[in-house]
Amino acid sequence: MLLNPFERRLVSGGLRRQVLRRWDVSRWRSLGADFTEQTVLEIGCGCGHGVAAAYELMGAKEVHAFDPDPQMVTTARQTLTRHGLFSRRPSVQLWQGEATAIPGGGASYDAVMSFQVLHHVENWRAALEEVARVLKPGGSLFLAESLRGFVEHPLWGRWMEHPAEDRFDLPELEAELQRYGFSIQGRRGRGRWMTWLHAKKTN
Ligand SMILES: C[S@@+](CC[C@H](N)C(=O)[O-])C[C@H]1O[C@@H](n2cnc3c(N)ncnc32)[C@H](O)[C@@H]1O
């Protein structure tokens, strides 16, 4: 589901860039995020702050990223051009797409990252299955995710728009990850509103 105008503005500004780098990435790093020499996929890349952070803070060799919202993809292209990331070799790849239908063959990526995306995806279970398909065996999935307690909060619910059905709490998210062959390596956060999680694909 695409963002409403309020949330689109929220994630497009400089504040989101700071929160993502200082809060999300620092938690992932404490869970082992190091993309040195790795090819990384970001699902739901928004305006590109995660792609820049993967190169600049986590050492990625190559990053591919997509978002279903054409406006986001355009903004991401501008952000990454500003950071000089399209002139890298191999350069970043960016496209309009859906987490439930990731193009390309299986076992293609060393790591997949998702900053605040799954709770916007109607069929988040199918998205996890796709992520498992494109990850190499032993590859890592890093999630920063909002849980049911946040999505269904009476105050936040008035400002942001999310699919109403089948949102998840931490045990449900972890159970679904295990169903697709992930083992949980570690998590941060108390797990009612938000979680930061590292899972490895075991086979
Ligand atoms: C809260 S924003 C986060 C954006 C960015 N990852 C960040 O952290 O700044 C959620 C993003 O998920 C995207 N999204 C929504 N449905 C999606 C889907 N089915 N597959 C992939 N991305 C999706 C939205 O377009 C939006 O850019």
Side-chain angles (χ1 to χ4, degrees):
M1 173 184 275
L2 301 194
L3 305 188
N4 68 10
F6 170 78
E7 196 174 5
R8 184 183 276 125
R9 281 186 71 179
L10 199 67
V11 304
S12 300
L15 178 63
R16 176 62 192 142
R17 177 173 187 270
Q18 291 304 324
V19 169
L20 184 147
R21 293 170 89 97
R22 287 166 194 245
W23 215 22
D24 297 332
V25 170
S26 68
R27 280 164 177 73
W28 283 2
R29 288 181 67 94
S30 76
L31 293 168
D34 176 0
F35 299 149
T36 307
E37 286 308 303
Q38 293 191 354
T39 301
V40 180
L41 174 71
E42 182 181 9
I43 65 169
C45 63
C47 61
H49 297 317
V51 174
Y55 282 119
E56 294 168 358
L57 304 179
M58 293 180 278
K61 182 179 78 177
E62 183 171 357
V63 184
H64 300 180
F66 63 86
D67 198 284
D69 184 338
Q71 211 175 315
M72 286 294 191
V73 175
T74 301
T75 312
R77 199 167 290 286
Q78 289 160 354
T79 306
L80 301 174
T81 302
R82 236 186 357 261
H83 283 250
L85 293 173
F86 280 108
S87 51
R88 286 176 68 108
R89 292 289 177 270
S91 81
V92 56
Q93 289 186 28
L94 188 62
W95 68 91
Q96 188 185 345
E98 284 278 339
T100 49
I102 302 173
S108 309
Y109 294 100
D110 301 298
V112 174
M113 53 181 194
S114 166
F115 296 93
Q116 296 296 342
V117 174
L118 281 185
H119 68 283
H120 282 280
V121 180
E122 266 104 4
N123 194 347
W124 60 276
R125 300 169 200 272
L128 284 183
E129 190 173 10
E130 268 297 84
V131 167
R133 182 183 68 79
V134 299
L135 261 180
K136 294 177 183 171
S140 285
L141 168 63
F142 286 92
L143 291 176
E145 199 46 68
S146 294
L147 302 168
R148 183 183 290 125
F150 179 86
V151 172
E152 294 180 355
H153 191 281
L155 182 59
W156 313 133
R158 289 172 50 199
W159 293 97
M160 300 179 198
E161 219 172 314
H162 303 111
E165 304 298 322
D166 192 30
R167 295 309 85 189
F168 44 83
D169 59 20
L170 187 57
E172 284 163 334
L173 177 61
E174 292 191 354
E176 202 64 7
L177 283 164
Q178 281 156 357
R179 198 154 87 88
Y180 293 118
F182 287 97
S183 90
I184 310 299
Q185 303 294 298
R187 65 181 80 70
R188 296 281 308 272
R190 293 205 180 145
R192 208 174 114 61
W193 281 13
M194 307 251 168
T195 190
W196 291 263
L197 195 146
H198 176 199
K200 254 187 200 295
K201 191 182 162 192
T202 49
N203 49 30

